[in-house]
Amino acid sequence: MGKILVTGAAGQIGSELVVALREKHGEENVIATDILLKAVERVLPSGPNEQVDVTEIRKLQEAIGTWGVTTIYHLAAILSAAGEKNPQTAWDVNMKGLQNILELSRELGVKRVYWPSSIAVFGPGIPRVKTPQDVPLVPTTMYGITKAAGELLCNYYHQRYGVDVRSIRYPGIISNKVPPHGGTTDYAVDMFYQAILKKRYTCFVREDTVLPMMYMPDAIRATLMLMDASPKSVTYHMGHNLAGLSFSAGELAREIKKHIPGFTCEFVPDFRQKIADSWPESVDDSVARRDWGWKPKYNLATMTEDMIKELGARAKQGKLAA
Ligand code: NAD
Ligand code: AKB
């Protein structure tokens, strides 16, 4: 079989997606790459790993050619909060990286490409509850701009060159293996770590802030479902809306308190509040449900229970650090 290349593999999603792909396709068939080789070797100690900067087209070309890559999961990116601190870098990494991947896929005949978009494509002036799939995309962050432009670029490469590129507008992803960094939805993960380690947390968005979120097992399952779907059932080559859970920061704190009664949370909004306020509270994912059978499994209660079980077990072994 052709090999699978994953970029940005050391990150929050890559570190778990690579494990799922290696389980499904065989360890030797999935090449995990990241700009940080040491980080990828630490989180994915077995299987082929390589240092690849996605902004360097020659290095990418060499990796795709040498390994005989037929499928790419392109995850490398700068996220929303980090992108607001350094918009130029966010543009360079997110746009140049995606263009390099699409161009090489066209040139070298890569059969299928996965590229995640985000709820960050949305901006003000649209319904914030059950945001429809097709609304004007007017994001207010550089990250959101790169995701909206990236969706158009994916659609262009599909229509013009037939590149089979597929995409999901991930909500904020909640997970317990590699902590997130540089995003606006990070508080929904940080809260768990701090509740377990210190029994208190200072949350950087208001208590009533509601955002769409998803537990990692659902996100991985959705990604594999979309990539396995037959080309006929994938009618969309821009990002698919995907709903999992929607809750306020206060509701999450109260749910955690059910398991850790002494937990206290205060809410001290910083610059990320403005980003959160520009995003939907929930999205309408009927296209993904209709076209490739998407349905989430986790709700707030089951996700919280599982997070606390996993992180609590690591804390007991002295292996948990935020
Ligand atoms: P992350 O920040 O945890 O990981 C990104 C990885 O990319 C890091 O390991 C980093 O070292 C690497 N990277 C950065 N610049 C690079 C470069 N020039 N070349 C190669 N690698 C580089 O991000 P994540 O949360 O795992 O997100 C993965 C993808 O999913 C991104 O495209 C992100 O926009 C998207 N997404 C994530 C979420 C979420 O909540 N985690 C939500 C929506 C969309
Ligand atoms: C971020 O907060 O930047 C990401 C995202 C929703 O794209 N988690």
Side-chain angles (χ1 to χ4, degrees):
M1 77 172 264
K3 305 283 185 197
I4 297 169
L5 184 99
V6 182
T7 72
Q12 187 196 4
I13 296 175
S15 55
E16 299 202 40
L17 183 61
V18 168
V19 172
L21 289 169
R22 284 181 173 165
E23 265 169 30
K24 189 167 151 95
H25 300 282
E27 195 162 82
E28 67 291 352
N29 292 318
V30 183
I31 300 100
T33 74
D34 201 283
I35 195 169
L36 303 174
L37 182 60
K38 285 217 168 77
V40 89
E41 284 174 344
R42 190 180 63 247
V43 295
L44 297 161
S46 57
N49 297 331
E50 262 205 42
Q51 199 266 348
V52 174
D53 177 344
V54 294
T55 63
E56 288 178 16
I57 195 161
R58 294 294 148 234
K59 185 72 209 244
L60 258 178
Q61 185 177 30
E62 197 184 296
I64 295 169
T66 312
W67 287 97
V69 170
T70 54
T71 307
I72 299 178
Y73 289 77
H74 173 44
L75 306 180
I78 305 296
L79 275 68
S80 58
E84 285 315 282
K85 288 189 177 152
N86 207 335
Q88 187 63 48
T89 308
W91 177 266
D92 288 346
V93 172
N94 297 4
M95 294 314 299
K96 191 76 207 151
L98 178 60
Q99 200 200 2
N100 285 344
I101 293 285
L102 292 171
E103 192 50 24
L104 289 172
S105 297
R106 173 184 82 80
E107 246 177 62
L108 304 175
V110 171
K111 289 196 169 59
R112 198 162 287 178
V113 178
Y114 177 75
W115 171 76
S117 183
S118 162
I119 51 160
V121 293
F122 299 115
I126 53 162
R128 287 194 69 216
V129 175
K130 287 220 159 234
T131 303
Q133 175 73 44
D134 287 310
V135 288
L137 301 183
V138 193
T140 52
T141 60
M142 180 55 91
Y143 173 67
I145 290 168
T146 66
K147 290 297 186 188
E151 287 196 12
L152 291 170
L153 197 62
C154 288
N155 202 41
Y156 177 82
Y157 268 79
H158 173 69
Q159 289 192 347
R160 171 111 200 236
Y161 302 116
V163 175
D164 184 357
V165 52
R166 301 171 180 205
S167 178
I168 288 172
R169 291 171 181 157
Y170 285 139
I173 305 297
I174 300 178
S175 69
N176 51 54
K177 301 289 183 303
V178 169
H181 58 271
T184 302
T185 58
D186 294 6
Y187 66 87
V189 181
D190 296 347
M191 200 183 283
F192 283 99
Y193 279 78
Q194 296 309 322
I196 287 170
L197 289 168
K198 298 194 182 135
K199 291 200 172 186
R200 61 171 193 278
Y201 180 58
T202 303
C203 181
F204 58 76
V205 295
R206 280 191 322 269
E207 188 171 359
D208 64 355
T209 304
V210 178
L211 285 175
M213 303 279 178
M214 179 169 285
Y215 196 31
M216 184 68 91
D218 271 343
I220 300 288
R221 199 166 51 80
T223 306
L224 300 181
M225 276 175 80
L226 175 60
M227 285 298 272
D228 283 346
S230 82
K232 267 194 240 135
S233 63
V234 181
T235 57
Y236 229 82
H237 290 273
M238 293 180 61
H240 290 81
N241 279 7
L242 204 70
L245 334 154
S246 278
F247 50 78
S248 71
E251 280 169 326
L252 179 61
R254 286 191 288 281
E255 193 63 34
I256 292 175
K257 214 170 150 60
K258 287 182 190 165
H259 299 263
I260 305 172
F263 173 55
T264 57
C265 186
E266 59 172 340
F267 299 86
V268 183
D270 68 12
F271 74 100
R272 289 167 282 194
Q273 182 69 55
K274 197 172 156 204
I275 302 177
D277 288 343
S278 75
W279 291 352
E281 293 191 352
S282 60
V283 297
D284 173 359
D285 62 356
S286 43
V287 171
R289 286 175 187 251
R290 181 199 67 203
D291 285 1
W292 42 277
W294 165 247
K295 201 169 172 224
K297 281 192 179 156
Y298 284 88
N299 59 32
L300 178 58
T302 52
M303 177 276 290
T304 303
E305 198 182 325
D306 202 55
M307 281 290 284
I308 289 183
K309 190 178 94 201
E310 292 291 325
L311 292 175
R314 291 229 305 279
K316 273 201 189 115
Q317 296 165 351
K319 289 184 182 158
L320 190 68

